[in-house]
Amino acid sequence: GKIYYNQFDNPERGLEIFEKLVLSNPMALESGEALWYISRHHFRENEYGLACRNFLQFMLDFSDDERSQVARLRIADCFFELGDLDSAVKYYVDYRNRHPDDLQNLPYVLLRIGTVYASQPDSVIQARTVFSRVVEEFPNAMPHVPGLCMVFALSWQCHRWES
């Protein structure tokens, strides 16, 4: 499957082989690798419903695999992209609680949580709190999101909801 997917530039054939492998022996280590390829493929193709289902299966069936942490984050991303913001924030908060020392992904997770809160008029104060935490604790973590612009946007957003 990997050869078709990566080297022969035939991802459809590679996915077909991966799916057969997962169906034939779902708990085998090779199935975990195949399921990981399937999940990532669907995510990259913006097929978030399929990606979510496959990442969830990976996370549950291969919880000892270090990639299950990434799978948990991608599940939250899938819900976010699907517009299911309640589920997205639930998974982002769960990720934050399970991996509080993941300094590489924590700013991203907090920004997503803040974004969800900012989209809900009754949660703007929570959004401001989360965004403030990102600016204070991780000022250099997200160079493409200038802190000053974020603070301005927050001030404007909070002012808009208070008006």
Side-chain angles (χ1 to χ4, degrees), residues 97-112:
N97 292 339
R98 288 176 185 266
H99 308 288
D101 299 325
D102 181 4
L103 298 181
Q104 180 179 352
N105 289 313
L106 194 55
Y108 170 79
V109 169
L110 292 172
L111 286 171
R112 285 291 185 130

Side-chain angles (χ1 to χ4, degrees), residues 23-99:
L23 288 173
S24 69
N25 192 357
M27 299 307 290
L29 290 178
E30 296 82 11
S31 293
E33 187 70 18
L35 191 55
W36 184 252
Y37 264 83
I38 293 167
S39 302
R40 287 180 47 223
H41 172 81
H42 290 306
F43 189 82
R44 279 195 301 261
E45 295 296 315
N46 302 327
E47 298 168 342
Y48 298 114
L50 292 170
C52 188
R53 187 185 77 218
N54 288 304
F55 278 127
L56 183 59
Q57 183 180 349
F58 182 90
M59 186 183 72
L60 295 173
D61 293 348
F62 301 96
S63 59
D64 292 338
D65 188 302
E66 63 187 27
R67 294 173 293 187
S68 68
Q69 179 176 338
V70 176
R72 184 177 304 278
L73 183 55
R74 291 297 166 255
I75 292 167
D77 288 338
C78 288
F79 281 124
F80 184 89
E81 295 299 333
L82 290 168
D84 183 349
L85 300 182
D86 290 335
S87 295
V89 80
K90 180 181 104 179
Y91 274 91
Y92 285 127
V93 168
D94 180 61
Y95 185 91
R96 181 194 64 198
N97 292 339
R98 288 176 185 266
H99 308 288

Side-chain angles (χ1 to χ4, degrees), residues 107-151:
Y108 170 79
V109 169
L110 292 172
L111 286 171
R112 285 291 185 130
I113 291 170
T115 301
V116 171
Y117 288 154
S119 72
Q120 302 168 340
D122 58 335
S123 299
V124 173
I125 301 300
Q126 289 173 292
R128 188 176 200 173
T129 302
V130 172
F131 285 140
S132 294
R133 180 176 172 201
V134 173
V135 171
E136 290 170 15
E137 294 182 25
F138 307 101
N140 299 318
M142 305 291 276
H144 61 281
V145 181
L148 188 57
C149 292
M150 186 181 301
V151 170

